[in-house]
Structures are given as C-alpha cells and as structure tokens.
Amino acid sequence: MDLLLTLVAILATIPYISFFILFFVLKKVTNQATRSTKIAADLSSVFFIIAVNALLYLIFENSFLTWTIITYMLAIIAVITIQWKNEIDINIWQAARIVWRGGFILLALSYLVLVPIGIYLTY
C-alpha cells in the first residue's frame, strides 16, 4: 500500500511523468499516436489539477481547488452556450471533452510557469 501511495504522490508531483508513461503504454496497446495522446491527456489531467493546486497552495498559502472546479463548470456552460447559439446539437459529453482537454493544456502550461516560481519562493 505504501508503494502505491508513493507512486501516486510522484505522479501527482511531476504530472509530465504520468502523461509520458500513459502515452507510451497506450501507444504500445493501441498503435495509434494521436489516440494515445488524447487518452493520456485525459487521464493525466487529474494529476495536473492536483499538482497545479498544490503549487498554488505553496505560493499563495490558499487552496484554489474550489475555484478550479467552478472554472471547469463555467467553461462547460460557455461551450454549451456556444453550441446552442451556433445551432449545433447540444452535446454535453463533447462540451466536457473540449473543456477537459483545454484544461489539460492550460494546466500543463501553468505547471511550467508555477514550478520555477514555487522553487524561487521556497528558497
């Protein structure tokens, strides 16, 4: 059990490792790089959420998890509104996928920006 907790802690601390491990495993299984990238991004987004919120807590000494959840909910509402305004069939799963993958990109970039700031402020 301790080994599993340690592994999860490492993957959440450095989420890029989880993304690349998932990508390479999925690429071996599916033999499709594009599909493997999408699935790895979907699965490792959770690790990026944890890591970015931990960094924000380290820097600002305040939890931003509630704001993260609210932002995701507002983004899904915005995508559904755009679907409705453009007279596209409203698809909640498609809206959630768009927001989830957009969140992955935003969180991956945020992680790259926040790590040096967190290291600087810690030392």
Side-chain angles (χ1 to χ4, degrees):
M1 188 67 167
D2 289 336
L3 180 65
L4 181 64
L5 291 174
T6 303
L7 181 65
V8 170
I10 290 170
L11 293 177
T13 305
I14 310 171
Y16 283 102
I17 292 174
S18 65
F19 173 77
F20 287 116
I21 289 171
L22 287 168
F23 172 75
F24 288 121
V25 168
L26 289 166
K27 190 166 187 236
K28 290 288 183 189
V29 172
T30 64
N31 290 326
Q32 297 176 352
T34 304
R35 186 169 183 225
S36 299
T37 304
K38 290 177 182 178
I39 296 171
D42 289 342
L43 295 175
S44 62
S45 289
V46 174
F47 294 118
F48 277 98
I49 290 171
I50 294 168
V52 168
N53 279 294
L55 285 168
L56 288 171
Y57 185 80
L58 178 75
I59 294 168
F60 297 108
E61 296 178 359
N62 198 359
S63 177
F64 287 88
L65 186 59
T66 306
W67 288 108
T68 304
I69 294 168
I70 291 171
T71 303
Y72 270 97
M73 293 167 66
L74 290 174
I76 289 174
I77 291 170
V79 171
I80 290 172
T81 303
I82 291 169
Q83 288 177 347
W84 173 64
K85 288 285 187 180
N86 290 332
E87 297 181 4
I88 301 171
D89 289 335
I90 295 175
N91 188 341
I92 294 174
W93 290 113
Q94 182 183 16
R97 191 177 327 128
I98 290 168
V99 170
W100 192 252
R101 290 185 181 157
F104 169 78
I105 293 169
L106 182 65
L107 289 169
L109 294 174
S110 298
Y111 183 81
L112 290 175
V113 170
L114 291 173
V115 165
I117 294 170
I119 291 172
Y120 176 76
L121 291 177
T122 312
Y123 293 106

